[in-house]
Amino acid sequence: MLQVEQLDAHYGLFQALFGVSLRVEPGQTLALIGSNGAGKTTLLRTLAGALSARPDSICLDGQDISVGHELDRLRQGIALVPEGRRLFPSLTVREHLALAQRNGRPGAWTPERVLDEMPVLRDLLARPATAMSGGQQQLVAIARALLCNPRYLLCDEVSLGLSPLAVEEVYRLLRQASQSGMALVLVEQNVRRALNASDRYVCLQKGRVVLEGESLQANHHDVAAAYFGVE
Ligand code: ATP
């Protein structure tokens, strides 16, 4: 289980997260909901080791993993699909996949499987990231994370700016990942989609958890109130 206990995060003197606690069970999908600036990206980046955390604030299967960098987290089984994809502009799809395989863990998600699941990438293997559509780039960003064979996949706004068809494709892939036993943490600006795709949800407001529960039982009025900060 991935467990977050009283997590704070800072950018210099600015505090972005205040005592956030939550847990993600293996194989479960958790949606993180909140308006712009609520701290969702900060939380994902802290879990992924891109921002530092106080000791004993992030535990994986009872072991403290708070102190460590992104490569450590990849090897522990936590991978991030970052907001805006962050591909290397000059690297081809093939090079992105090779790099991911080297940094991650061995497992069921091999390049062959990834290409079987995303056949469109087969024709683009030699293409640099910049010469692809947004939807195709997002597939590469997800493929790269899947190739690390994480147990916990953190997805930051993976549908942002994509066509409806591309969004469908991205969510189909995430369902595949979930069905293969991967736990997902989804940051998704479409609250309905976030709740439909998740088992549990956590609402963040100004860096604090203000509401959480089972997604099926979510009261959309309460979630909207938490999202918009209505008292
Ligand atoms: P969005 O939907 O806009 O991405 P978010 O919920 O992901 O919002 P964060 O990006 O985590 O929110 O931002 C949380 C707070 O931290 C905001 O007040 C933001 O201005 C601040 N912040 C984020 N990144 C930095 C940074 N690099 N330096 C300083 N402050 C930052």
Side-chain angles (χ1 to χ4, degrees):
M1 190 202 315
L2 181 62
Q3 206 165 350
V4 176
E5 282 295 337
Q6 294 296 318
L7 177 71
D8 295 339
H10 299 85
Y11 296 100
L13 291 178
F14 178 79
Q15 185 163 357
L17 295 180
F18 299 82
V20 169
S21 298
L22 54 85
R23 46 182 60 187
V24 193
E25 308 274 351
Q28 189 185 63
T29 296
L30 176 77
L32 282 182
I33 294 171
S35 57
N36 284 349
K40 306 174 302 290
T41 295
T42 303
L43 177 54
L44 290 193
R45 296 193 67 222
T46 310
L47 292 177
L51 293 171
S52 62
R54 178 179 55 72
D56 290 325
S57 53
I58 307 173
C59 286
L60 184 61
D61 299 333
Q63 201 189 338
D64 180 24
I65 58 159
S66 317
V67 179
H69 296 289
E70 285 167 288
L71 266 183
D72 302 315
R73 295 290 162 80
L74 281 180
R75 294 192 177 128
Q76 287 154 344
I78 300 175
L80 172 68
V81 183
E83 190 174 17
R85 308 185 272 273
R86 303 216 178 190
L87 300 179
F88 299 105
S90 63
L91 292 193
T92 63
V93 173
R94 182 181 281 110
E95 287 164 337
H96 275 99
L97 301 188
L99 205 57
Q101 213 190 356
R102 212 169 57 203
N103 288 338
R105 304 155 11 119
W109 287 93
T110 59
E112 263 317 296
R113 167 143 188 223
V114 160
L115 294 174
D116 284 347
E117 293 287 351
M118 302 177 227
V120 61
L121 292 187
R122 271 193 205 282
D123 300 328
L124 301 172
L125 280 171
R127 204 176 283 189
T130 41
M132 296 190 302
S133 70
Q136 291 165 344
Q137 289 183 25
Q138 192 58 268
L139 291 184
V140 176
I142 295 174
R144 176 167 73 168
L146 289 176
L147 275 175
C148 296
N149 284 291
R151 291 168 55 212
Y152 294 85
L153 180 67
L154 317 176
C155 300
D156 200 352
E157 306 263 22
V158 284
S159 67
L160 198 64
L162 302 190
S163 70
L165 259 183
V167 173
E168 278 308 308
E169 180 64 5
V170 160
Y171 269 85
R172 188 190 63 77
L173 262 174
L174 295 183
R175 275 196 301 277
Q176 291 283 339
S178 170
Q179 281 159 11
S180 75
M182 217 175 264
L184 308 179
V185 181
L186 296 181
V187 167
E188 164 62 61
Q189 57 157 210
N190 181 324
V191 175
R192 190 177 301 272
R193 189 180 296 132
L195 290 174
N196 281 340
S198 59
D199 303 298
R200 291 186 59 78
Y201 69 94
V202 165
C203 289
L204 283 178
Q205 205 181 90
K206 295 183 184 159
R208 292 184 164 87
V209 174
V210 291
L211 190 69
E212 60 185 307
E214 308 251 337
S215 302
L216 259 181
Q217 272 139 36
N219 175 321
H220 287 241
H221 175 78
D222 291 347
V223 172
Y227 185 97
F228 292 113
V230 180
E231 298 295 321

